Amino acid sequence: MTITVNGLDELKKLADADLGTSEWIEVTQDRIDTFADATGDHQWIHTDPERAAQGPFGAPIAHGYLTLSLFIPLFTQLLDVRGVTTKVNYGLDKVRFPAPVKAGSRIRLVARLTSVEDVPGGVQITVDGTIEVEGGTKPAAVVRSLSRFYV
């Protein structure tokens, strides 16, 4: 369920709040191949299903940065900030990839808004997120993300 806030004052009230859990999305081989084409990273563990089946993960796996790039579409399922003119990614303080995402797996995001701080013209939020793999024992990614919202 998406939390909707109207303006920065309402957003500030969410500091230190759980944002919930996104829907599951499937990471298909087609998505992995498209990401490989976009980035030029065609390493066989991602794009060669036959060879990858014999490799260390037993199947092709998503690029770590593909998993990371899915943070934003998953995050937008959790929080909608209205009444701002611009929303930008500001950076990452921490990213780890504890477990691979095998082709055909489903992932989702569990997130917490840890802080909302004033910056010139807007606010900066810090979100701690965990990207889970359905049926997995370890997360696919653990992320501390920084975003800015300007009025």
Side-chain angles (χ1 to χ4, degrees):
M1 185 167 118
T2 305
I3 297 170
T4 300
V5 297
N6 293 299
L8 300 182
D9 289 337
E10 285 187 25
L11 180 59
K12 290 176 184 179
K13 292 176 185 175
L14 281 181
D16 201 32
D18 287 326
L19 298 176
T21 304
S22 73
E23 297 293 320
W24 293 104
I25 62 168
E26 185 177 1
V27 181
T28 64
Q29 185 64 52
D30 184 56
R31 187 184 292 250
I32 294 168
D33 292 342
T34 300
F35 188 84
D37 289 341
T39 62
D41 181 355
H42 291 92
Q43 186 180 14
W44 63 270
I45 62 171
H46 307 302
T47 60
D48 185 341
E50 290 179 16
R51 186 173 176 196
Q54 304 306 314
F57 304 108
I61 61 169
H63 305 72
Y65 287 123
L66 168 56
T67 303
L68 180 61
S69 73
L70 295 171
F71 178 89
I72 293 299
L74 293 168
F75 179 72
T76 59
Q77 293 181 23
L78 302 180
L79 181 64
D80 180 21
V81 180
R82 297 183 180 170
V84 297
T85 61
T86 307
K87 304 172 184 179
V88 296
N89 295 318
Y90 188 68
L92 301 165
D93 277 350
K94 177 182 177 182
V95 177
R96 297 290 183 269
F97 303 109
V101 176
K102 293 181 181 180
S105 295
R106 295 192 328 157
I107 63 171
R108 68 180 179 184
L109 174 66
V110 179
R112 179 174 190 78
L113 179 63
T114 58
S115 69
V116 181
E117 301 172 1
D118 288 321
V119 297
V123 298
Q124 177 174 297
I125 67 169
T126 302
V127 175
D128 285 344
T130 301
I131 298 177
E132 301 177 336
V133 180
E134 187 174 38
T137 59
K138 292 183 180 179
V142 179
V143 179
R144 174 162 285 169
S145 172
L146 308 173
S147 298
R148 289 193 171 180
F149 298 84
Y150 297 100
V151 291

